[in-house]
């Protein structure tokens, strides 16, 4: 992540895509479609997730965290979508967006970094910050709590180990 951030500085389209994944925690099918029309007056994103929209729609309302707000304000965006092509047009579909993002990852000298991986990182970060499984599900739009548990398992282990360490240190004083 540090390598990507060093290569694609705030103010580039590539960094904006990365930060949307990291701070909105959404799937590719939603990240490339998000735009100013989804912002509420009180600083939230309000939209319906693309996945399951016809059978079990997930109506989302998530905060625009300060880190993301800073990047949004410093980045070029389109009129209807934050993320646009080099020609200023919205991406045609999720596949064209994913291909573009994969090239950005490669240009940063990385391999194996994907939007899906950043979504998992989002969930793990929330777990490390002591968010509950239900809170993480609400932010990411997961309806299956088992999926959230799977994504956050390693982060929760580390957090619990730190709790044990803190208790031991407290007993020693």
């Amino acid at each position: 992540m540090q390598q990507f951030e060093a290569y694609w500085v705030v103010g580039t389209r590539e960094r904006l895509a990365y930060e949307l994944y990291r701070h909105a925690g959404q799937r590719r099918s939603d990240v490339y479609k998000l735009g100013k029309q989804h912002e509420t007056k009180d600083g939230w994103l309000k939209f319906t997730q693309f996945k399951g929209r016809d059978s079990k729609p997930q109506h989302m309302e998530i905060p625009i965290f300060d880190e993301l707000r800073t990047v949004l304000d410093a980045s070029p965006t389109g009129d209807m979508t934050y993320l646009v092509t080099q020609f200023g047009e919205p991406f045609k579909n999720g596949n064209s967006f994913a291909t573009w993002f994969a090239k950005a990852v490669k240009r940063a000298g990385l391999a194996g970094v994907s939007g899906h991986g950043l979504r998992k990182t989002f969930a793990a970060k929330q777990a490390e910050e002591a968010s509950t499984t239900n809170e993480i599900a609400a932010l990411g739009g997961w309806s299956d709590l088992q999926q959230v548990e799977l994504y956050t398992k390693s982060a929760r282990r580390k957090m619990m180990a730190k709790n044990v360490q803190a208790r031991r240190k407290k007993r020693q004083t």
Side-chain angles (χ1 to χ4, degrees):
M1 288 170 57
Q2 290 174 340
Q3 186 172 335
F4 191 95
E5 292 170 10
Y7 190 85
W8 297 111
V9 297
V10 171
T12 61
R13 295 177 303 124
E14 292 82 358
R15 181 65 174 268
L16 176 57
Y18 167 84
E19 297 292 348
L20 281 165
Y21 276 123
R22 284 197 54 226
H23 297 293
Q26 299 304 304
R27 293 175 189 87
R28 165 183 83 185
S29 57
D30 296 307
V31 166
Y32 85 95
K33 291 181 180 180
L34 290 174
K36 294 174 188 172
Q37 76 273 12
H38 297 112
E39 291 186 27
T40 64
K41 291 179 182 177
D42 58 347
W44 289 58
L45 289 171
K46 186 176 181 177
F47 61 98
T48 300
Q49 285 186 329
F50 183 78
K51 183 178 181 179
R53 69 196 176 285
D54 295 328
S55 58
K56 293 181 182 178
Q58 291 288 325
H59 302 292
M60 301 296 298
E61 290 188 58
I62 57 173
I64 299 174
F65 294 110
D66 292 342
E67 302 91 341
L68 179 56
R69 178 82 268 160
T70 298
V71 174
L72 284 168
D73 291 344
S75 300
T77 61
D79 292 330
M80 292 301 291
T81 60
Y82 295 131
L83 296 167
V84 293
T85 67
Q86 65 186 18
F87 305 108
E89 298 292 324
F91 285 90
K92 291 185 183 192
N93 55 47
N95 289 337
S96 65
F97 169 67
T99 299
W100 171 81
F101 190 72
K103 288 178 183 177
V105 168
K106 188 174 182 177
R107 284 183 59 196
L110 298 167
V113 176
S114 67
H116 186 68
L118 291 172
R119 181 166 156 81
K120 286 182 177 181
T121 300
F122 168 83
K125 181 176 184 258
Q126 297 308 312
E128 288 171 359
E129 293 175 355
S131 296
T132 67
T133 301
N134 284 324
E135 289 170 338
I136 297 167
L139 288 170
W142 286 282
S143 56
D144 181 358
L145 295 181
Q146 289 178 332
Q147 191 68 42
V148 177
E149 290 287 340
L150 178 66
Y151 286 178
T152 61
K153 191 175 186 177
S154 64
R156 291 199 185 280
R157 282 185 184 158
K158 185 175 180 181
M159 184 178 63
M160 287 186 278
K162 284 182 178 181
N163 290 344
V164 170
Q165 181 184 34
R167 283 195 305 271
R168 285 185 178 188
K169 284 182 179 181
K170 188 175 181 179
R171 276 185 270 174
Q172 292 173 355
T173 57

